[in-house]
Amino acid sequence: MIFKYRFGNPIPTDTVVKESEVREDAVPFVTVLEGESISYEMADADIVYGLGENVRGINKRGWTYCSKCSDQPHHQEDTHSLYGAHNFLVVSGKETFGLFLDYSGVVSFDVGYTTKNGLVITPADWNFDLYILTGESVPAIVKEFRGMVGRSYIAPKWAFGYGQSRWSYMTADEVRQVVKKHRENDLPLDSVYLDIDYMERYKDFTLNEEAFPNFEDFVRELAEENIHLVPIIDAGVKKEDGYSVYEEGMEKGYFCTKEDGSPFVAAVWPGHAMFTDFLNSEAREWFGNQYAFLLDKGIDGFWNDMNEPAIFYTEDRLKEAFEKLDGFKGKNLAMEDFWALLDVTGSLSGNEEDYKTFYHEMNGQRIRHDKVHNLYGYNMTRAAGEAFERLSPDKRILMFSRASCIGMHRYGGIWQGDNKSWWSHLLMNLQMSPALNMCGFLYTGADLGGFGSNTTEELLLRWLAFGIFSPLMRNHAARDTRRQEIYEFEDIPAFRSILKLRYRLLPYLYSEYMKAALDNEMYFMPLAFAYPDDPRAARVEDQLLVGESLMIAPVYQPNAGGRYVYLPESMRMFRLKRDGSLESSILEAGDHYVEIPADEMIFFLRKGHLLPMAEGGNSVPEVDFENLTVFAYPDDGEVSYEYYHDDGVGKDYDNPENRAVITVSGDVRGYEVTV
Ligand code: GLC
C-alpha cells in the first residue's frame, strides 16, 4: 500500500508517475514533528536499505547521509553526499516499511548516527510529499515504489558490451589505436568514450576538427568494427561570443540568471560558462535538440557530466578570496591563520553561497537554485531523453549521467561518479549497486579500475571480475594517471578470460536486466532479499545476487588469494580459469573459504535455477543470443527460466514474444531458444 502525505506547498519534481490520493490521517510508523523532522525508533536488529548513491554499506545504519548532488572526486567513508540524491529507504525488521521523500531540496538522513536506534530525516524546508509504503516483503515494497516512479531507462544492447574510456583520447588516431590494440589482443570491446577534448575548447556540441577530422566518416569507420563512440556532454555552456549555443541560449533567455536578472556565470572546464535552465521546459527542449548535432553524425550514445552542477568558482567568490588573501600578506601566520589561508582557495569550488545566487524559471515561477538543486542533473538528462524520443523514436540511445535524482531513472542510467583506484571503492561499488536498483537506477556501473590515482594490475583484474556483472561496464581513468587499458598490463590472458566471460554471460545478464526494468524488479540484490528468513544472509555485506539465478562473491582486498563466502543454501560454484575454461562443483550451505587467485574468478548458480550462456564474441553483435548452453542446478526434476530476448535496438519491449520459457532437467549444450 502507498500512503501519501503533503506538507506545505511542494515544488513539482515529476518523480512520481502513479498518483495516489493525499491522506489527512496520521502518518504510520514515523513521528512527524512539523517544521523539524520525521523520525523512527529502530530496534537493534533493524536493517535500513536504500538511499541509492551513497558511501558505506548495504545496511545504511551508523552514519548520516545528505541528499545533495555534489561533485566529490575524493569521497571516502566519511563523506555525506555524492553525485546523486536518492530519498528512498526501506526499514526492515520489527516493522517493515518503505519511505520516500519527494522533495527537490537538500535533506539529511541520520540513520543511527546521533543515537544508535534513531532514524531522523531532516529536510531543509517543509514543502514536500512524504510517502510510506507497505508490502509483504522488502522486495515487494521496492517493487511497489518502482511502479510508482515509473519504468527504468533501457539502454541499447550494445551498451552492455565493454567500454574503454580515458580523459581524454586526444585524437581520432589515438582512438583507432585503442580499438586496434583490443582487437589484436583478442579483447572484446564495443565502445570507446570521448572525454572533453573531442570538443573545440570544451564547447558542447562542437568538434575539434583538427584532432577529429571528418567525424562522420570516423564514426562510420568504427561502426564497421562494431565500435560505438560515446561523447561526453557537460552541463556548462562556454561563454564565448560567436559560439552559437551560447548566443542562442542568451538570446532566448534559456540560461540561469542572478537575482537582478543578469546572467549567472561560473567556471567549469571551459572557463566561464552558463548553466542552461533545465527546469524551464522550453530551455530543456532547446538543449535536448542540440544533441541532434552528434546524432546526425551517427553517434548513438552520450554521457552527461558536471550536472550537479559542479562549480569550480564564480567571479564573486574569487573576488572575496583575493581580498581575504591580501589580508594574510606579510603576517606571521599562526596555526589557525594558516588553516584559514588554505581554506580560502579550498572553499571556492562547490561553494554553498554560489548555489543561492542563481534562479530558475519553472512553470512561470522564479525559484532560487538551492530549493531545486537536486533536480538539475535529472532535468539535463531528461532534456536529452525527451529529445531522443522526438529525434530517434524507434532506436534506443545510450544515455547516462553523473548527477541524478529519482525520476531521472526513466531517462538514463548513471555512473557512480569520480572514484579512485582504491580497494575500498571496489567494495563501495558493490554495496551501492543494489541501493541504486531500489531507486530505479538499473543501468549503472562505476569507473572500473578507478578514475583518480593509479590502478594496479591486481586491482583492475579484481574490479573487472565484479564489473562483468554491471550493466554499464566501463574502464575509465583520469588525466595524468597511469594508462589503464587492459593491454597496458602484463597478464593479458587473465583479463581476456574475464572479459570474454562477460560476453558469454550476456544472454543471461541482458535478460535479467530487461526483466528487472520491465517488471520493476531488482537486478543486483542483497542476499536478504531472496533469503529473508536467514539471519546470517541479512548481514552479508560483500556478496550479491545478480538476477534470479546467480550469486557473486568478489575479492576486494589486495593479495588476498581467496575469501570466505557464505552460502544460504547449497549452490553450484563455477570457477573461471585463466584459459577461459569453466569448472563447476556443488558447495553445501554454510561458510566456505574459497581460494581465488587473481587470474581466476568464481560465481555461483542457485539451486533450482538455470544459467543460459552463449559462445561469446568480441563485440555484442558477434554474440549468438539464440544458440545457448544452459547450465542447471536442478532442485529435483525440471527447472525453468524465463528468457528475455529482443533485437536490443528497438523499443517493442512489451511484446510477449520477447519472452520464452526454457525448461531443462540438467545441463544442455547447444540449446536453441525460439522467441
Ligand atoms: C569529471 C568526470 C570525469 C571526466 C572529467 C573530465 O571529473 O566525472 O569522468 O573524465 O570530468 O571531463
Side-chain angles (χ1 to χ4, degrees), residues 292-363:
F293 172 77
L294 290 157
L295 288 173
D296 291 348
K297 297 183 168 40
I299 291 296
D300 52 7
F302 301 87
W303 45 314
N304 279 349
D305 191 20
M306 306 294 280
N307 48 3
E308 293 72 28
I311 292 179
F312 291 169
Y313 69 86
T314 58
E315 283 301 325
D316 289 346
R317 222 54 57 212
L318 202 58
K319 192 164 156 262
E320 268 173 29
F322 282 126
E323 279 163 9
K324 281 189 196 154
L325 287 178
D326 278 343
F328 289 101
K329 270 190 196 157
K331 261 199 179 167
N332 174 4
L333 300 180
M335 180 179 70
E336 303 290 348
D337 303 318
F338 179 65
W339 286 343
L341 168 69
L342 292 183
D343 198 44
V344 172
T345 49
S347 60
L348 278 174
S349 297
N351 191 297
E352 291 292 327
E353 290 310 307
D354 284 330
Y355 293 102
K356 293 182 189 151
T357 61
F358 62 101
Y359 289 77
H360 299 271
E361 298 290 335
M362 196 180 172
N363 309 325

Side-chain angles (χ1 to χ4, degrees), residues 416 425-434 445-446 448 460-471 473 498 502 524 544 546 552-555 601:
Q416 294 166 14
H425 278 187
L426 160 52
L427 179 61
M428 195 192 294
N429 179 187
L430 178 152
Q431 292 172 322
M432 209 189 276
S433 296
L448 300 173
L460 184 58
L461 271 169
R462 296 299 199 191
W463 213 324
L464 286 171
F466 168 65
I468 62 166
F469 297 99
S470 300
M473 185 192 181
I498 291 175
R502 161 70 164 211
F524 278 125
L544 293 177
V546 184
I552 56 170
V555 175
M601 63 161 289

